Amino acid sequence: MNISDKSCNKSSLYFQYRTDNEISHTSLKKHLYLLIMSSLSAYEAAHKIRNMKIPLTKKPYVGIVLLESYLHEKTPINYHSDLVSILCVLDTETKLVFEQCFVEVYERVESLSVSKIKMIGNFFSYLFQNNSISWKLFYKIQFTTEKTTSSKRIFLKIVFSQLKQNLGEYFLVKILKILCSKTTMSIFKCKKINDINFINLFFESIGVKITFTY
C-alpha cells in the first residue's frame, strides 16, 4: 500500500498506520527520510517520529534511515546524532534499535570506506558520551588480535578518541575501570597475555593512560 494524500499531512509529514502491514517498507523509509530532512530541528523531527506511533516490527527502519541519511552527508553534522539521542531518551524500544545498530555496524564495518568509518565512529561516540546507548555494548566486542580487523580497529579508535576528547581522559578511564571491575578485562573478553598487551598498546596509541593486567 502507498501513502495517500489523505493520510499524509504535508505540513507535519504525519500519517497514521491502519495495520502493521499496510505500508510498504519503501514507503516508510521514504516518509521517514522526508520527515528527517524537512524538520527544522532535531527536537521537531524526534517528536514527529514519536507521533507516528511506528509498530515495534518496523522500528528498525528508523535506525536504517537515520544512519543512511547521516552517511550521505559529506561531513559529520550533529543533527542526526542529536535526533537519535532524543529518540533514545523518549523511547526504550528505539534505544534498543540503535544499540543493535552499533553491534551490526561493528560486525560489518569492513564494507565502509575509511571516511565513512570515521563518520560512523563519531556518530556512535556521541551516543555513548550522552548515555543514549549503553556502555555495556562493549561487552559484545572481542577486542583481540584474532577477532579484529584494521577496519574494526579504526572504528574503535575513532570512538574512543572522540570520547577522550569530549569527556576527558579522567572520566573515560573511570568508565573503563567500572566496566572492567567485575571480571578482569571482561569488557574485551581477553584470555591471553598477548591480547592484554594489544589493548594496552591500543589505548596508549590514542593517549589514554590506563593499564590492564592479566
Side-chain angles (χ1 to χ4, degrees):
M1 173 189 166
N2 295 321
I3 302 171
S4 65
D5 291 336
K6 292 181 180 179
S7 64
C8 182
N9 183 311
K10 292 182 180 180
S11 62
S12 64
L13 290 176
Y14 169 84
F15 66 92
Q16 292 282 353
Y17 286 87
R18 286 190 285 278
T19 70
D20 192 23
N21 296 319
E22 283 186 1
I23 295 176
S24 70
H25 296 167
T26 302
S27 295
L28 175 57
K29 289 176 67 176
K30 179 179 178 181
H31 191 87
L32 283 166
Y33 180 79
L34 290 173
L35 187 154
I36 291 165
M37 300 309 295
S38 66
S39 296
L40 298 178
S41 69
Y43 286 98
E44 179 185 342
H47 286 287
K48 285 179 179 178
I49 292 173
R50 184 166 172 77
N51 287 338
M52 287 170 63
K53 303 184 186 304
I54 300 174
L56 178 60
T57 56
K58 297 195 180 211
K59 285 201 173 180
Y61 286 95
V62 177
I64 293 171
V65 172
L66 271 164
L67 287 176
E68 286 181 350
S69 60
Y70 172 75
L71 289 174
H72 284 157
E73 300 290 339
K74 292 183 179 180
T75 56
I77 57 176
N78 288 335
Y79 173 78
H80 297 83
S81 48
D82 282 336
L83 173 53
V84 174
S85 290
I86 297 166
L87 286 172
C88 289
V89 171
L90 293 175
D91 183 25
T92 302
E93 292 173 353
T94 302
K95 178 180 179 179
L96 293 175
V97 165
F98 281 97
E99 289 180 342
Q100 183 60 33
C101 281
F102 172 80
V103 175
E104 292 184 7
V105 165
Y106 179 75
E107 291 300 324
R108 303 175 186 177
V109 73
E110 288 83 6
S111 64
L112 299 175
S113 66
V114 173
S115 61
K116 297 301 182 184
I117 292 174
K118 290 180 179 178
M119 287 183 67
I120 206 69
N122 286 327
F123 178 87
F124 281 108
S125 178
Y126 186 87
L127 299 185
F128 281 118
Q129 76 181 53
N130 288 293
N131 291 316
S132 302
I133 56 177
S134 174
W135 286 75
K136 292 182 180 180
L137 287 170
F138 288 114
Y139 287 131
K140 298 180 180 292
I141 292 176
Q142 289 185 287
F143 197 17
T144 67
T145 53
E146 292 84 6
K147 295 296 183 179
T148 57
T149 62
S150 59
S151 295
K152 284 182 169 66
R153 294 167 196 168
I154 292 171
F155 174 74
L156 290 172
K157 183 169 285 190
I158 296 299
V159 170
F160 284 111
S161 294
Q162 288 299 308
L163 287 170
K164 178 196 172 187
Q165 179 179 325
N166 296 318
L167 293 178
E169 183 181 356
Y170 173 81
F171 286 105
L172 176 56
V173 170
K174 189 174 181 179
I175 292 169
L176 288 172
K177 287 183 176 179
I178 291 172
L179 289 173
C180 295
S181 61
K182 292 184 178 181
T183 305
T184 303
M185 291 311 301
S186 61
I187 182 175
F188 293 124
K189 299 181 180 178
C190 291
K191 297 180 180 179
K192 302 177 182 178
I193 187 65
N194 288 341
D195 294 329
I196 301 295
N197 292 335
F198 172 70
I199 293 177
N200 286 333
L201 288 172
F202 169 83
F203 282 106
E204 182 182 337
S205 72
I206 61 174
V208 175
K209 296 178 181 179
I210 184 171
T211 301
F212 299 103
T213 57
Y214 186 70

Short mmCIF file of all heavy atoms in Angstrom, two decimals, residues 64-121:
data_model
loop_
_atom_site.label_atom_id
_atom_site.label_comp_id
_atom_site.label_asym_id
_atom_site.label_seq_id
_atom_site.Cartn_x
_atom_site.Cartn_y
_atom_site.Cartn_z
N ILE A 64 17.79 2.44 10.26
CA ILE A 64 18.34 2.33 8.91
C ILE A 64 18.33 3.67 8.21
O ILE A 64 19.34 4.11 7.64
CB ILE A 64 17.53 1.30 8.09
CG1 ILE A 64 17.74 -0.11 8.65
CG2 ILE A 64 17.94 1.35 6.62
CD1 ILE A 64 16.83 -1.15 8.05
N VAL A 65 17.19 4.36 8.24
CA VAL A 65 17.05 5.64 7.54
C VAL A 65 17.97 6.70 8.13
O VAL A 65 18.62 7.46 7.40
CB VAL A 65 15.58 6.12 7.56
CG1 VAL A 65 15.47 7.53 7.00
CG2 VAL A 65 14.71 5.17 6.76
N LEU A 66 18.03 6.77 9.46
CA LEU A 66 18.88 7.77 10.10
C LEU A 66 20.36 7.54 9.79
O LEU A 66 21.09 8.49 9.48
CB LEU A 66 18.66 7.77 11.61
CG LEU A 66 17.53 8.69 12.08
CD1 LEU A 66 17.11 8.34 13.50
CD2 LEU A 66 17.97 10.14 12.01
N LEU A 67 20.80 6.30 9.85
CA LEU A 67 22.20 6.01 9.55
C LEU A 67 22.52 6.26 8.07
O LEU A 67 23.57 6.83 7.74
CB LEU A 67 22.54 4.57 9.92
CG LEU A 67 22.65 4.28 11.42
CD1 LEU A 67 22.88 2.79 11.65
CD2 LEU A 67 23.76 5.08 12.06
N GLU A 68 21.61 5.87 7.20
CA GLU A 68 21.84 6.09 5.76
C GLU A 68 21.89 7.57 5.43
O GLU A 68 22.77 8.02 4.68
CB GLU A 68 20.74 5.40 4.94
CG GLU A 68 20.88 3.89 4.89
CD GLU A 68 19.79 3.24 4.05
OE1 GLU A 68 18.83 3.95 3.66
OE2 GLU A 68 19.90 2.03 3.78
N SER A 69 20.95 8.35 5.97
CA SER A 69 20.93 9.78 5.67
C SER A 69 22.16 10.47 6.27
O SER A 69 22.70 11.41 5.68
CB SER A 69 19.64 10.42 6.19
OG SER A 69 19.51 10.27 7.60
N TYR A 70 22.61 10.00 7.43
CA TYR A 70 23.80 10.57 8.05
C TYR A 70 25.03 10.30 7.19
O TYR A 70 25.85 11.20 6.94
CB TYR A 70 24.00 9.97 9.44
CG TYR A 70 25.31 10.36 10.11
CD1 TYR A 70 25.50 11.63 10.63
CD2 TYR A 70 26.34 9.43 10.19
CE1 TYR A 70 26.70 11.98 11.23
CE2 TYR A 70 27.54 9.77 10.79
CZ TYR A 70 27.72 11.05 11.30
OH TYR A 70 28.92 11.39 11.89
N LEU A 71 25.16 9.07 6.70
CA LEU A 71 26.34 8.71 5.90
C LEU A 71 26.33 9.36 4.52
O LEU A 71 27.38 9.43 3.87
CB LEU A 71 26.43 7.19 5.76
CG LEU A 71 26.83 6.44 7.04
CD1 LEU A 71 26.75 4.94 6.81
CD2 LEU A 71 28.23 6.83 7.48
N HIS A 72 25.18 9.86 4.09
CA HIS A 72 25.12 10.56 2.81
C HIS A 72 25.64 11.99 2.91
O HIS A 72 25.88 12.64 1.90
CB HIS A 72 23.69 10.57 2.28
CG HIS A 72 23.26 9.26 1.72
ND1 HIS A 72 21.94 8.87 1.61
CD2 HIS A 72 23.98 8.21 1.23
CE1 HIS A 72 21.87 7.66 1.09
NE2 HIS A 72 23.10 7.24 0.86
N GLU A 73 25.79 12.48 4.14
CA GLU A 73 26.34 13.82 4.33
C GLU A 73 27.83 13.80 3.98
O GLU A 73 28.52 12.82 4.20
CB GLU A 73 26.17 14.28 5.78
CG GLU A 73 24.72 14.37 6.25
CD GLU A 73 23.96 15.51 5.58
OE1 GLU A 73 24.61 16.44 5.09
OE2 GLU A 73 22.72 15.44 5.57
N LYS A 74 28.31 14.90 3.43
CA LYS A 74 29.72 14.97 3.04
C LYS A 74 30.64 15.08 4.25
O LYS A 74 31.77 14.59 4.25
CB LYS A 74 29.95 16.15 2.09
CG LYS A 74 29.27 15.97 0.73
CD LYS A 74 29.57 17.14 -0.19
CE LYS A 74 28.92 16.93 -1.55
NZ LYS A 74 29.20 18.08 -2.47
N THR A 75 30.17 15.75 5.29
CA THR A 75 30.94 15.89 6.52
C THR A 75 30.01 15.62 7.71
O THR A 75 28.80 15.83 7.61
CB THR A 75 31.54 17.30 6.67
OG1 THR A 75 30.50 18.28 6.58
CG2 THR A 75 32.58 17.57 5.59
N PRO A 76 30.55 15.15 8.84
CA PRO A 76 29.70 14.86 10.01
C PRO A 76 28.98 16.11 10.52
O PRO A 76 29.56 17.18 10.60
CB PRO A 76 30.72 14.36 11.05
CG PRO A 76 31.89 13.91 10.27
CD PRO A 76 31.96 14.81 9.08
N ILE A 77 27.71 15.97 10.82
CA ILE A 77 26.94 17.04 11.43
C ILE A 77 26.21 16.47 12.65
O ILE A 77 25.96 15.27 12.72
CB ILE A 77 25.92 17.68 10.45
CG1 ILE A 77 24.97 16.60 9.89
CG2 ILE A 77 26.63 18.40 9.32
CD1 ILE A 77 23.88 17.17 9.01
N ASN A 78 25.89 17.33 13.60
CA ASN A 78 25.31 16.86 14.85
C ASN A 78 23.81 16.59 14.78
O ASN A 78 23.25 16.00 15.70
CB ASN A 78 25.58 17.88 15.97
CG ASN A 78 27.04 17.90 16.39
OD1 ASN A 78 27.74 16.92 16.23
ND2 ASN A 78 27.48 19.02 16.92
N TYR A 79 23.17 17.02 13.70
CA TYR A 79 21.71 16.91 13.62
C TYR A 79 21.24 15.47 13.82
O TYR A 79 20.35 15.21 14.64
CB TYR A 79 21.22 17.44 12.27
CG TYR A 79 19.76 17.22 12.01
CD1 TYR A 79 18.80 18.03 12.61
CD2 TYR A 79 19.31 16.18 11.18
CE1 TYR A 79 17.45 17.83 12.38
CE2 TYR A 79 17.97 15.97 10.95
CZ TYR A 79 17.04 16.79 11.56
OH TYR A 79 15.70 16.58 11.34
N HIS A 80 21.83 14.53 13.10
CA HIS A 80 21.37 13.15 13.17
C HIS A 80 21.66 12.52 14.53
O HIS A 80 20.81 11.82 15.10
CB HIS A 80 22.04 12.32 12.07
CG HIS A 80 21.69 12.75 10.69
ND1 HIS A 80 22.32 13.80 10.06
CD2 HIS A 80 20.75 12.29 9.82
CE1 HIS A 80 21.81 13.95 8.86
NE2 HIS A 80 20.85 13.06 8.68
N SER A 81 22.86 12.78 15.08
CA SER A 81 23.19 12.22 16.39
C SER A 81 22.36 12.85 17.50
O SER A 81 21.96 12.18 18.45
CB SER A 81 24.68 12.38 16.68
OG SER A 81 25.13 13.69 16.42
N ASP A 82 22.06 14.15 17.36
CA ASP A 82 21.16 14.80 18.32
C ASP A 82 19.77 14.17 18.26
O ASP A 82 19.14 13.91 19.30
CB ASP A 82 21.05 16.30 18.03
CG ASP A 82 22.24 17.10 18.52
OD1 ASP A 82 22.92 16.63 19.45
OD2 ASP A 82 22.49 18.18 17.98
N LEU A 83 19.31 13.93 17.05
CA LEU A 83 17.99 13.33 16.85
C LEU A 83 17.92 11.94 17.49
O LEU A 83 16.96 11.61 18.20
CB LEU A 83 17.68 13.25 15.36
CG LEU A 83 16.41 12.50 14.93
CD1 LEU A 83 15.19 13.01 15.67
CD2 LEU A 83 16.22 12.62 13.42
N VAL A 84 18.94 11.13 17.26
CA VAL A 84 18.95 9.78 17.83
C VAL A 84 19.01 9.84 19.36
O VAL A 84 18.34 9.08 20.05
CB VAL A 84 20.14 8.97 17.28
CG1 VAL A 84 20.25 7.63 18.00
CG2 VAL A 84 19.98 8.76 15.79
N SER A 85 19.81 10.76 19.90
CA SER A 85 19.91 10.90 21.36
C SER A 85 18.55 11.20 21.97
O SER A 85 18.16 10.63 22.99
CB SER A 85 20.90 12.01 21.72
OG SER A 85 22.21 11.64 21.43
N ILE A 86 17.81 12.09 21.34
CA ILE A 86 16.48 12.45 21.83
C ILE A 86 15.52 11.28 21.73
O ILE A 86 14.78 10.97 22.67
CB ILE A 86 15.93 13.66 21.04
CG1 ILE A 86 16.81 14.89 21.26
CG2 ILE A 86 14.49 13.97 21.47
CD1 ILE A 86 16.54 16.02 20.29
N LEU A 87 15.56 10.57 20.60
CA LEU A 87 14.67 9.43 20.41
C LEU A 87 14.95 8.33 21.43
O LEU A 87 14.02 7.70 21.95
CB LEU A 87 14.84 8.87 18.99
CG LEU A 87 14.24 9.68 17.85
CD1 LEU A 87 14.66 9.10 16.51
CD2 LEU A 87 12.71 9.72 17.96
N CYS A 88 16.23 8.11 21.74
CA CYS A 88 16.60 7.07 22.70
C CYS A 88 16.11 7.40 24.10
O CYS A 88 15.77 6.50 24.88
CB CYS A 88 18.11 6.86 22.70
SG CYS A 88 18.75 6.06 21.21
N VAL A 89 16.07 8.69 24.43
CA VAL A 89 15.56 9.12 25.73
C VAL A 89 14.05 8.96 25.79
O VAL A 89 13.48 8.54 26.80
CB VAL A 89 15.96 10.58 26.02
CG1 VAL A 89 15.24 11.10 27.26
CG2 VAL A 89 17.46 10.69 26.22
N LEU A 90 13.38 9.29 24.68
CA LEU A 90 11.92 9.25 24.64
C LEU A 90 11.35 7.84 24.57
O LEU A 90 10.24 7.60 25.04
CB LEU A 90 11.41 10.06 23.44
CG LEU A 90 11.64 11.57 23.47
CD1 LEU A 90 11.19 12.19 22.15
CD2 LEU A 90 10.89 12.21 24.63
N ASP A 91 12.11 6.91 23.99
CA ASP A 91 11.54 5.60 23.69
C ASP A 91 12.58 4.49 23.89
O ASP A 91 13.59 4.44 23.20
CB ASP A 91 11.04 5.59 22.24
CG ASP A 91 10.37 4.30 21.87
OD1 ASP A 91 9.87 3.61 22.77
OD2 ASP A 91 10.32 3.98 20.67
N THR A 92 12.32 3.60 24.84
CA THR A 92 13.23 2.50 25.13
C THR A 92 13.39 1.57 23.94
O THR A 92 14.48 1.05 23.68
CB THR A 92 12.72 1.69 26.34
OG1 THR A 92 12.59 2.57 27.46
CG2 THR A 92 13.69 0.57 26.69
N GLU A 93 12.31 1.34 23.20
CA GLU A 93 12.37 0.44 22.05
C GLU A 93 13.32 0.99 20.98
O GLU A 93 14.08 0.24 20.36
CB GLU A 93 10.98 0.24 21.47
CG GLU A 93 10.05 -0.55 22.40
CD GLU A 93 8.63 -0.59 21.89
OE1 GLU A 93 8.33 0.11 20.88
OE2 GLU A 93 7.81 -1.32 22.48
N THR A 94 13.29 2.31 20.76
CA THR A 94 14.19 2.93 19.79
C THR A 94 15.63 2.84 20.28
O THR A 94 16.56 2.64 19.49
CB THR A 94 13.80 4.40 19.55
OG1 THR A 94 12.45 4.46 19.10
CG2 THR A 94 14.70 5.03 18.50
N LYS A 95 15.83 2.98 21.57
CA LYS A 95 17.17 2.83 22.15
C LYS A 95 17.72 1.45 21.85
O LYS A 95 18.89 1.30 21.44
CB LYS A 95 17.13 3.06 23.66
CG LYS A 95 18.47 2.88 24.34
CD LYS A 95 18.36 3.12 25.84
CE LYS A 95 19.70 2.93 26.53
NZ LYS A 95 19.63 3.17 27.99
N LEU A 96 16.90 0.42 22.01
CA LEU A 96 17.34 -0.94 21.72
C LEU A 96 17.67 -1.12 20.24
O LEU A 96 18.59 -1.86 19.90
CB LEU A 96 16.25 -1.94 22.14
CG LEU A 96 15.98 -2.03 23.64
CD1 LEU A 96 14.80 -2.96 23.91
CD2 LEU A 96 17.21 -2.52 24.40
N VAL A 97 16.93 -0.43 19.39
CA VAL A 97 17.20 -0.49 17.95
C VAL A 97 18.60 0.03 17.64
O VAL A 97 19.37 -0.59 16.90
CB VAL A 97 16.15 0.33 17.16
CG1 VAL A 97 16.62 0.59 15.73
CG2 VAL A 97 14.81 -0.39 17.14
N PHE A 98 18.95 1.17 18.23
CA PHE A 98 20.26 1.76 17.94
C PHE A 98 21.39 1.02 18.64
O PHE A 98 22.53 1.04 18.18
CB PHE A 98 20.26 3.24 18.27
CG PHE A 98 19.60 4.06 17.21
CD1 PHE A 98 18.28 4.45 17.34
CD2 PHE A 98 20.28 4.41 16.06
CE1 PHE A 98 17.64 5.18 16.34
CE2 PHE A 98 19.67 5.13 15.05
CZ PHE A 98 18.35 5.51 15.18
N GLU A 99 21.10 0.35 19.73
CA GLU A 99 22.12 -0.50 20.34
C GLU A 99 22.42 -1.69 19.43
O GLU A 99 23.57 -2.09 19.28
CB GLU A 99 21.65 -0.96 21.72
CG GLU A 99 21.65 0.17 22.74
CD GLU A 99 21.21 -0.24 24.13
OE1 GLU A 99 20.57 -1.31 24.26
OE2 GLU A 99 21.49 0.51 25.07
N GLN A 100 21.39 -2.22 18.81
CA GLN A 100 21.59 -3.30 17.86
C GLN A 100 22.31 -2.79 16.61
O GLN A 100 23.14 -3.50 16.02
CB GLN A 100 20.25 -3.94 17.48
CG GLN A 100 20.36 -5.14 16.55
CD GLN A 100 21.18 -6.27 17.15
OE1 GLN A 100 21.18 -6.49 18.36
NE2 GLN A 100 21.90 -7.00 16.30
N CYS A 101 22.01 -1.56 16.23
CA CYS A 101 22.69 -0.94 15.08
C CYS A 101 24.20 -0.87 15.32
O CYS A 101 24.99 -1.14 14.42
CB CYS A 101 22.16 0.47 14.83
SG CYS A 101 20.58 0.54 13.97
N PHE A 102 24.58 -0.52 16.55
CA PHE A 102 26.01 -0.44 16.88
C PHE A 102 26.68 -1.80 16.68
O PHE A 102 27.75 -1.89 16.08
CB PHE A 102 26.20 0.02 18.33
CG PHE A 102 27.63 -0.05 18.80
CD1 PHE A 102 28.53 0.94 18.45
CD2 PHE A 102 28.06 -1.11 19.58
CE1 PHE A 102 29.86 0.88 18.86
CE2 PHE A 102 29.38 -1.18 20.00
CZ PHE A 102 30.28 -0.18 19.63
N VAL A 103 26.05 -2.84 17.18
CA VAL A 103 26.61 -4.19 17.07
C VAL A 103 26.75 -4.59 15.60
O VAL A 103 27.79 -5.11 15.17
CB VAL A 103 25.74 -5.21 17.82
CG1 VAL A 103 26.26 -6.63 17.60
CG2 VAL A 103 25.69 -4.88 19.31
N GLU A 104 25.71 -4.32 14.81
CA GLU A 104 25.72 -4.72 13.40
C GLU A 104 26.72 -3.89 12.59
O GLU A 104 27.39 -4.42 11.69
CB GLU A 104 24.32 -4.60 12.83
CG GLU A 104 23.35 -5.61 13.42
CD GLU A 104 21.97 -5.55 12.79
OE1 GLU A 104 21.81 -4.81 11.79
OE2 GLU A 104 21.06 -6.23 13.28
N VAL A 105 26.80 -2.60 12.89
CA VAL A 105 27.77 -1.75 12.19
C VAL A 105 29.19 -2.23 12.47
O VAL A 105 30.02 -2.33 11.57
CB VAL A 105 27.62 -0.27 12.63
CG1 VAL A 105 28.83 0.55 12.21
CG2 VAL A 105 26.37 0.33 12.01
N TYR A 106 29.47 -2.55 13.73
CA TYR A 106 30.81 -3.04 14.08
C TYR A 106 31.14 -4.33 13.33
O TYR A 106 32.26 -4.50 12.83
CB TYR A 106 30.90 -3.27 15.59
CG TYR A 106 32.25 -3.80 16.02
CD1 TYR A 106 33.36 -2.98 16.07
CD2 TYR A 106 32.41 -5.15 16.35
CE1 TYR A 106 34.61 -3.47 16.44
CE2 TYR A 106 33.65 -5.65 16.73
CZ TYR A 106 34.74 -4.81 16.76
OH TYR A 106 35.97 -5.29 17.12
N GLU A 107 30.18 -5.23 13.24
CA GLU A 107 30.42 -6.51 12.58
C GLU A 107 30.62 -6.36 11.07
O GLU A 107 31.30 -7.16 10.44
CB GLU A 107 29.27 -7.47 12.86
CG GLU A 107 29.20 -7.95 14.31
CD GLU A 107 30.45 -8.68 14.75
OE1 GLU A 107 31.04 -9.40 13.93
OE2 GLU A 107 30.84 -8.51 15.93
N ARG A 108 30.03 -5.31 10.49
CA ARG A 108 30.08 -5.14 9.03
C ARG A 108 30.87 -3.91 8.61
O ARG A 108 30.76 -3.47 7.46
CB ARG A 108 28.65 -5.04 8.49
CG ARG A 108 27.78 -6.23 8.85
CD ARG A 108 26.35 -6.03 8.41
NE ARG A 108 25.49 -7.10 8.87
CZ ARG A 108 24.18 -7.13 8.67
NH1 ARG A 108 23.58 -6.15 8.02
NH2 ARG A 108 23.45 -8.15 9.13
N VAL A 109 31.67 -3.36 9.50
CA VAL A 109 32.34 -2.09 9.23
C VAL A 109 33.33 -2.20 8.06
O VAL A 109 33.67 -1.18 7.44
CB VAL A 109 33.05 -1.59 10.51
CG1 VAL A 109 34.29 -2.40 10.81
CG2 VAL A 109 33.35 -0.10 10.41
N GLU A 110 33.77 -3.41 7.74
CA GLU A 110 34.71 -3.58 6.62
C GLU A 110 34.11 -3.14 5.28
O GLU A 110 34.85 -2.85 4.33
CB GLU A 110 35.15 -5.05 6.51
CG GLU A 110 36.09 -5.50 7.61
CD GLU A 110 35.35 -5.91 8.87
OE1 GLU A 110 34.11 -5.94 8.84
OE2 GLU A 110 36.02 -6.19 9.87
N SER A 111 32.80 -3.09 5.19
CA SER A 111 32.15 -2.72 3.94
C SER A 111 32.16 -1.20 3.71
O SER A 111 31.78 -0.74 2.64
CB SER A 111 30.70 -3.22 3.92
OG SER A 111 29.94 -2.59 4.95
N LEU A 112 32.60 -0.43 4.71
CA LEU A 112 32.61 1.03 4.61
C LEU A 112 33.99 1.55 4.25
O LEU A 112 35.01 0.95 4.58
CB LEU A 112 32.17 1.66 5.93
CG LEU A 112 30.76 1.34 6.44
CD1 LEU A 112 30.56 1.95 7.82
CD2 LEU A 112 29.70 1.85 5.47
N SER A 113 34.01 2.69 3.57
CA SER A 113 35.29 3.36 3.30
C SER A 113 35.83 3.96 4.59
O SER A 113 35.09 4.10 5.58
CB SER A 113 35.09 4.46 2.26
OG SER A 113 34.27 5.49 2.79
N VAL A 114 37.10 4.33 4.59
CA VAL A 114 37.71 4.89 5.79
C VAL A 114 37.00 6.17 6.22
O VAL A 114 36.76 6.39 7.41
CB VAL A 114 39.21 5.17 5.56
CG1 VAL A 114 39.81 5.91 6.75
CG2 VAL A 114 39.97 3.87 5.33
N SER A 115 36.62 7.00 5.27
CA SER A 115 35.93 8.26 5.60
C SER A 115 34.58 7.98 6.25
O SER A 115 34.18 8.68 7.19
CB SER A 115 35.75 9.12 4.35
OG SER A 115 34.96 8.45 3.38
N LYS A 116 33.88 6.95 5.77
CA LYS A 116 32.58 6.59 6.36
C LYS A 116 32.76 5.95 7.73
O LYS A 116 31.92 6.15 8.63
CB LYS A 116 31.82 5.65 5.43
CG LYS A 116 31.46 6.25 4.08
CD LYS A 116 30.59 7.48 4.21
CE LYS A 116 30.20 8.02 2.84
NZ LYS A 116 29.43 9.29 2.94
N ILE A 117 33.84 5.19 7.90
CA ILE A 117 34.12 4.61 9.21
C ILE A 117 34.33 5.71 10.24
O ILE A 117 33.85 5.64 11.38
CB ILE A 117 35.35 3.69 9.15
CG1 ILE A 117 35.03 2.44 8.32
CG2 ILE A 117 35.80 3.27 10.56
CD1 ILE A 117 36.24 1.55 8.07
N LYS A 118 35.05 6.75 9.84
CA LYS A 118 35.28 7.88 10.74
C LYS A 118 33.97 8.57 11.10
O LYS A 118 33.74 8.94 12.25
CB LYS A 118 36.25 8.87 10.09
CG LYS A 118 37.67 8.35 9.98
CD LYS A 118 38.60 9.37 9.33
CE LYS A 118 40.02 8.85 9.26
NZ LYS A 118 40.92 9.82 8.58
N MET A 119 33.11 8.73 10.10
CA MET A 119 31.82 9.37 10.35
C MET A 119 30.96 8.56 11.32
O MET A 119 30.41 9.10 12.28
CB MET A 119 31.07 9.59 9.03
CG MET A 119 31.61 10.70 8.16
SD MET A 119 30.62 10.94 6.66
CE MET A 119 29.07 11.55 7.35
N ILE A 120 30.87 7.27 11.06
CA ILE A 120 30.01 6.43 11.90
C ILE A 120 30.62 6.24 13.28
O ILE A 120 29.90 6.10 14.28
CB ILE A 120 29.75 5.06 11.22
CG1 ILE A 120 28.43 4.45 11.70
CG2 ILE A 120 30.90 4.10 11.41
CD1 ILE A 120 27.21 5.18 11.23
N GLY A 121 31.95 6.30 13.38
CA GLY A 121 32.60 6.27 14.67
C GLY A 121 32.26 7.51 15.49
O GLY A 121 31.98 7.42 16.69
#
